[in-house]
């Protein structure tokens, strides 16, 4: 896992917390530029198959310069390491939290839950604490809340009944494998449904899908801010 944060103190605290569990190999970087310049073959970057240290995740400070471009170019279905943002929910722009990131971890998250959140992301789930979801809903424009799923121009109206089921489970934070077990589907079928949902709803991440599932349409306008 790669941790990218400007604060050496924050990096040290997170590294100590995760490495104390013995399940993570954590590499520290101060900036995205430093991370990009690092050798891809550095130790711990490619763990052995079956090792729990395979959790190859980018844990990135949300307000770090270049994060907007990083998440905008992320493809949640590409198999690339998922991006998890960490920071203060009150100061992070709403569109950034609903971009290509696999999740958001607020800075006040209890330390003992951090590893569990990262394991969930590694398993394909989205991570968005309920308190952050509530804050996002409150920060969204009033006119954008509670869309009518039966309206002719509603993205939700274009979903099949099965896609609605998958979307609801995405909203519950379930991973692909958990959705497959719940609906008695193959994981590849679940992935295909998710791709279709993304296309029909014009969304690009599991976090965005979770918010749509809770009644908040995806904001793509630059006017949508914190």
């Amino acid at each position: 896992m790669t941790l990218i944060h400007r604060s050496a103190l924050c990096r040290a605290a997170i590294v100590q917390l995760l490495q104390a569990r013995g399940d993570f190999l954590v590499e520290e970087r101060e900036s995205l530029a430093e991370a990009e310049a690092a050798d891809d073959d550095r130790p711990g970057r490619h763990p052995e198959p079956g090792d729990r240290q395979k959790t190859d995740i980018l844990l990135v400070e949300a307000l770090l310069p270049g994060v907007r471009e990083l998440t905008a170019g992320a493809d949640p279905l590409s198999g690339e390491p998922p991006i998890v943002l960490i920071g203060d929910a009150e100061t992070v722009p709403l569109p950034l939290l609903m971009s290509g990131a696999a999740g958001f971890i607020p800075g006040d998250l209890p330390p003992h839950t951090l590893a569990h959140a990262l394991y969930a992301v590694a398993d394909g789930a989205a991570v968005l604490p309920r308190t952050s979801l509530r804050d996002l809903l409150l920060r969204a424009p009033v006119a954008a809340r509670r869309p009518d799923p039966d309206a002719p121009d509603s993205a939700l109206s274009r979903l099949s009944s099965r896609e609605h089921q998958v979307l609801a489970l995405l909203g519950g934070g379930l991973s692909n494998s958990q959705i497959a077990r719940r609906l008695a589907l193959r994981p590849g079928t679940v992935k295909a449904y998710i791709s279709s949902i993304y296309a029909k709803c014009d969304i690009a991440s599991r976090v965005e899908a979770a918010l749509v599932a809770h009644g908040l349409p995806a904001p793509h306008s630059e006017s949508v801010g914190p």
Side-chain angles (χ1 to χ4, degrees), residues 132-203:
S132 296
L133 175 61
R134 180 197 62 202
D135 292 342
L136 288 175
L137 290 171
L138 291 175
R139 288 161 56 188
V142 174
R145 301 177 196 163
R146 301 184 183 278
D148 181 2
D150 297 321
D153 59 346
S154 169
L156 296 179
S157 69
R158 297 193 289 270
L159 300 182
S160 67
S161 58
R162 181 64 88 181
E163 287 169 344
H164 274 289
Q165 292 176 322
V166 172
L167 178 61
L169 295 177
L170 283 175
L174 274 67
S175 67
N176 287 14
S177 58
Q178 290 171 324
I179 294 173
R181 288 194 295 271
R182 183 74 63 88
L183 299 179
L185 298 171
R186 293 180 181 275
T189 303
V190 171
K191 186 174 181 179
Y193 277 126
I194 293 176
S195 296
S196 177
I197 291 169
Y198 283 7
K200 291 180 179 180
C201 294
D202 190 22
I203 56 180

Side-chain angles (χ1 to χ4, degrees), residues 9 22 42 46 50-51 69 88 91 93 104 107-108 117 127 138 140 143 153 162 178 185 207 215 217:
L9 182 61
R42 55 195 179 277
H46 303 292
D51 194 332
E69 293 75 16
D88 183 357
T91 60
F104 174 73
D108 57 358
V127 172
L138 291 175
D153 59 346
R162 181 64 88 181
Q178 290 171 324
L185 298 171
V207 170

Side-chain angles (χ1 to χ4, degrees), residues 110-123:
H112 67 278
T113 63
L114 175 60
H116 295 294
L118 295 177
Y119 287 140
V121 170
D123 191 39

